[in-house]
Amino acid sequence: MPRMAIIGAGPAGLSLAYFLKGHRNYETTVFESMPEPGIKPCAWGLITGIEELIPIPKETIISEIKGFRIYLDNKLVFDIRTKNRLGYIIDKPLFLKRLADEVNVEFNSKVIQKGNKFYTNNEILDFDKVIMATGHYSVDKSMSIPAIQYITDYEIDREVVEFYFYSGFLGYAWIFPDREGSKIGIGGYGEVPELKERLKQILKGRVKIFHGARVTDYGIIDDRLDGNYVGEALGAVYAITGEGIRPSIISSKILADSILNGKDFRKEFKKSKLYWTLNWHAKIIKMTREKDPGTVRLSKALLNNDPQLILKFAIGDFNRVDLIKIFGRSLI
């Protein structure tokens, strides 16, 4: 029976092990350097629909999102409330712990690569295949941007998320509900001091925690479509929104199906909608930096269109016609 090592107990690594679980042809073990999963800070948003692939235990759901507000230069532009559930705010560490309970994980096991061999705790990993699910840590810094976040006791409508865009700044700030209070953060093309300064304008409540991390914005790294990378290590993050949990899980489903069905992962992934939409997010970012550094045209495109169409673009549920409707020929 082929033995498979998955490095990293984040959304990508744990979901890949989950998708492969129970198949007699494969024995999988997840190795995680930390004592528990979910250490990397993020806003913990998860778009609805992913529960069709992987369970979301009720106790891991902080709130159900049914609306969003969008601000430009701190002025309210859109205030949308729907009857339908758009997504969830989850307790990511708890969500990953529940997922880890379903698969074989070895915590406190840092993996080091020396040449073509992998070692953990000074012992060689004797596996037939090693898959890297190590997130932004294994991605060159030039392929990622900084993001920072405060956890405060500020109470926000638990069914609404807020997004803040700024003229001349490529990125955005957010306020998301938390179990007790809210997460107030920002990510984009700037140094951390600049991000902190911008965030002062919307920072509310008593600060309980401050943390930060880098987020991949490059799009899919084609050289890594060899079946040895998955999730953010592969570039599976929507560059404009920074959403990474859901695309990481979907990338793991495509890899698991490719492994189980004996298909070429590169071909399977390249023909997926995920590959196409992730790369278009990255292309829009690249073209904006080259042609629209003041973000004027990008801001107009995102804020002067039907908000439902913008939502489709944000969550990766768009097609070429939608792109033309939103951006016209200005950026495409």
Side-chain angles (χ1 to χ4, degrees), residues 168-179:
F169 174 71
L170 187 54
Y172 70 95
W174 62 84
I175 301 181
F176 280 18
D178 197 12
R179 285 203 187 278

Side-chain angles (χ1 to χ4, degrees), residues 121-169:
N121 301 328
N122 296 318
E123 294 183 1
I124 191 169
L125 285 185
D126 184 20
F127 285 80
D128 300 293
K129 186 175 180 63
V130 176
I131 296 176
M132 306 302 290
T134 43
H136 76 283
Y137 301 104
S138 61
V139 175
D140 189 87
K141 191 176 180 180
S142 65
M143 297 179 176
S144 65
I145 58 173
I148 60 172
Q149 182 171 253
Y150 294 90
I151 309 298
T152 84
D153 62 3
Y154 171 65
E155 292 291 338
I156 188 176
D157 185 333
R158 298 182 65 79
E159 293 187 343
V160 173
V161 292
E162 297 184 350
F163 300 96
Y164 294 78
F165 295 88
Y166 302 96
S167 300
F169 174 71

Side-chain angles (χ1 to χ4, degrees), residues 68 301-302 304-319 321-327:
F68 58 94
L302 293 178
N304 292 342
N305 268 287
D306 179 354
Q308 295 299 327
L309 183 59
I310 299 304
L311 178 63
K312 286 181 64 179
F313 174 73
I315 66 176
D317 186 29
F318 59 92
N319 55 36
V321 173
D322 294 327
L323 284 176
I324 294 173
K325 286 180 179 179
I326 297 171
F327 300 107

